Amino acid sequence: NMVAERLLKEIGIENLYVVPEQKEPDGNFPTVDYPNPEDKKAFKLALELAKKVDADVVLATDPDADRLGIYAKDTKTGEYMTYTGNMSALLIAEYRISQMQEKGLLPEKGMFVTTIVSSDLAKVIASNYNLDCFEVLTGFKNIGAVMKREEEKTDGDKYVFGFEESYGCLIGDYARDKDGISAVMSLCEAAAYYKSKGMTLWDQMMKIYEKYGFYKEDQVSIVLEGADGAEKIKSMMTNMRNNLPEKIGKYKVIEFKDVELDEIKNLVTGEQRKTGLPKSNVLYYELENNAWCCVRPSGTEPKIKLYMGVKADSMESAEKDLEELKDAMVRLVK
């Protein structure tokens, strides 16, 4: 908090309000159930303060300041709108990369690094700015590994931006892990820039969707405790690995990627190829109409995680399609 506060003041942010009850570090985190910006309840006090002072943006990092969660005000409704980790990272990406392009700072061979469970909008933004897009497995160490690999080549790609959907991004090559402090700075800079153009961050998010398409993503965690749970997770994965559906919800399965077995099957052409990813217990389904879903057991908790994404031509359609796909995925796993 002290670092973020100092940084924002130094870049010229004057109307900065810190939740008094959450200003001083306390390892017991008495004001929240779960000190994680992914948890909407963690924003309770911040949103109350935001309404009082009529803030444009509400920001929270996690205790080790590597992840950033945000709400931004929608002036049309006066509501504070929540952003997923995909949304806030892609907002920062579009802002930074468009500014770099405008100022002639984009490298000749630049890269945008994302993970296989993050938004497909990343690929579209990368391609719009002629950046190579690298997809890695979940975990920022995998993004760091790509940076290192490219740096060791004589003609490697220069790092421009990288993120994962779980609220972490890195705006430059000065580190090898996600950095919430620079994300806070970048997001506030973007907010000030768009405000000077008469737009809120929520307006800009809608503009991004209008420019590239309405990409929406979600995830579901199914918690299964104990030895029985671990067994059940194992059998769920085996079952899905061995019974490939032709359709998930209303979507035809086009390609099936089994990262553990290092194989990709194309269901349309019958062609098989390797994933090129390190072995990991991950199943990925590419569906028609730019939809996708993915299943993996958590590495740290007793749960199986389902990720899914869709693309539509309006926010309403995207939300509806996403709900349907989410239900279909949950049915498929169980």
Side-chain angles (χ1 to χ4, degrees):
N1 172 39
M2 285 153 63
V3 180
E5 208 177 327
R6 179 179 158 188
L7 181 63
L8 293 179
K9 286 188 170 149
E10 284 189 12
I11 65 166
I13 305 283
E14 286 166 13
N15 300 329
L16 178 63
Y17 303 89
V18 181
V19 177
E21 303 89 325
Q22 294 173 330
K23 195 175 165 87
E24 298 307 322
D26 181 340
N28 297 317
F29 308 113
T31 59
V32 290
D33 295 339
Y34 184 42
N36 184 333
E38 288 181 78
D39 182 8
K40 289 191 175 64
K41 294 200 285 286
F43 277 88
K44 185 175 176 295
L45 294 174
L47 285 167
E48 284 169 12
L49 178 60
K51 284 175 186 138
K52 247 184 239 159
V53 301
D54 192 26
D56 295 319
V57 186
V58 185
L59 308 170
T61 66
D62 56 350
D64 58 347
D66 61 359
R67 299 203 276 184
L68 166 68
I70 78 161
Y71 276 74
K73 191 171 189 182
D74 176 6
T75 39
K76 293 176 191 67
T77 61
E79 291 293 304
Y80 285 96
M81 309 298 284
T82 183
Y83 282 61
T84 63
N86 279 312
M87 290 163 74
S88 51
L90 292 165
L91 181 78
I92 293 171
E94 171 72 10
Y95 167 68
R96 279 189 67 79
I97 299 167
S98 64
Q99 289 296 299
M100 285 171 85
Q101 186 187 54
E102 208 175 283
K103 294 173 172 54
L105 299 172
L106 273 185
E108 190 73 7
K109 254 185 90 177
M111 64 172 163
F112 188 137
V113 194
T114 177
T115 71
I116 66 167
V117 296
S118 299
S119 173
D120 273 357
L121 181 48
K123 297 175 198 164
V124 194
I125 291 178
S127 135
N128 183 56
Y129 293 104
N130 294 321
L131 297 171
D132 294 323
C133 190
F134 292 100
E135 275 190 292
V136 298
L137 292 174
T138 315
F140 228 91
K141 62 174 190 230
N142 296 309
I143 295 177
V146 170
M147 294 167 79
K148 187 169 189 291
R149 183 191 76 202
E150 293 301 309
E151 280 167 355
E152 284 166 356
K153 293 180 184 170
T154 43
D155 63 339
D157 276 44
K158 185 106 177 63
Y159 179 84
V160 173
F161 190 80
F163 82 104
E164 55 183 1
E165 53 70 48
S166 55
Y167 290 70
C169 72
L170 177 65
I171 65 171
D173 61 2
Y174 56 86
R176 291 293 178 273
D177 203 348
K178 49 192 179 286
D179 175 10
I181 300 292
S182 66
V184 162
M185 178 193 75
S186 206
L187 197 101
C188 290
E189 192 186 303
Y193 174 80
Y194 294 119
K195 192 163 189 168
S196 75
K197 304 258 180 282
M199 289 158 62
T200 66
L201 280 188
W202 190 251
D203 296 333
Q204 169 57 9
M205 197 70 231
M206 293 307 114
K207 247 197 156 84
I208 289 173
Y209 288 136
E210 281 152 22
K211 178 176 174 180
Y212 297 112
F214 290 80
Y215 287 82
K216 287 289 285 179
E217 301 78 29
D218 205 351
Q219 59 156 293
V220 181
S221 290
I222 301 170
V223 178
L224 296 156
E225 304 272 2
D228 290 357
E231 229 13 80
K232 184 134 201 278
I233 289 173
K234 220 171 159 178
S235 68
M236 281 172 161
M237 291 301 291
T238 307
N239 188 27
M240 292 195 72
R241 188 165 264 122
N242 299 336
N243 299 296
L244 178 56
E246 280 180 21
K247 285 181 93 170
I248 297 178
K250 64 179 178 185
Y251 299 98
K252 270 200 196 100
V253 179
I254 293 178
E255 214 164 65
F256 174 61
K257 197 182 281 180
D258 187 331
V259 184
E260 186 73 30
L261 302 179
D262 192 23
E263 53 186 43
I264 299 176
K265 284 184 190 144
N266 187 306
L267 275 67
V268 182
T269 62
E271 174 206 356
Q272 295 207 13
R273 60 187 201 280
K274 293 199 175 305
T275 64
L277 292 164
K279 285 193 174 188
S280 181
N281 196 5
V282 176
L283 304 174
Y284 186 97
Y285 304 81
E286 191 180 312
L287 309 173
E288 62 185 343
N289 300 336
N290 294 94
W292 61 274
C293 51
C294 180
V295 189
R296 73 179 183 96
S298 164
T300 49
E301 296 167 294
K303 52 181 155 183
I304 188 163
K305 296 182 93 164
L306 319 178
Y307 302 83
M308 63 289 301
V310 298
K311 179 196 178 190
D313 48 16
S314 75
M315 191 53 113
E316 294 71 37
S317 306
E319 281 167 359
K320 187 170 163 290
D321 289 349
L322 189 60
E323 276 311 307
E324 286 172 11
L325 181 54
K326 191 157 71 170
D327 293 344
M329 274 302 287
V330 172
R331 282 199 304 276
L332 185 68
V333 176
K334 289 184 167 171

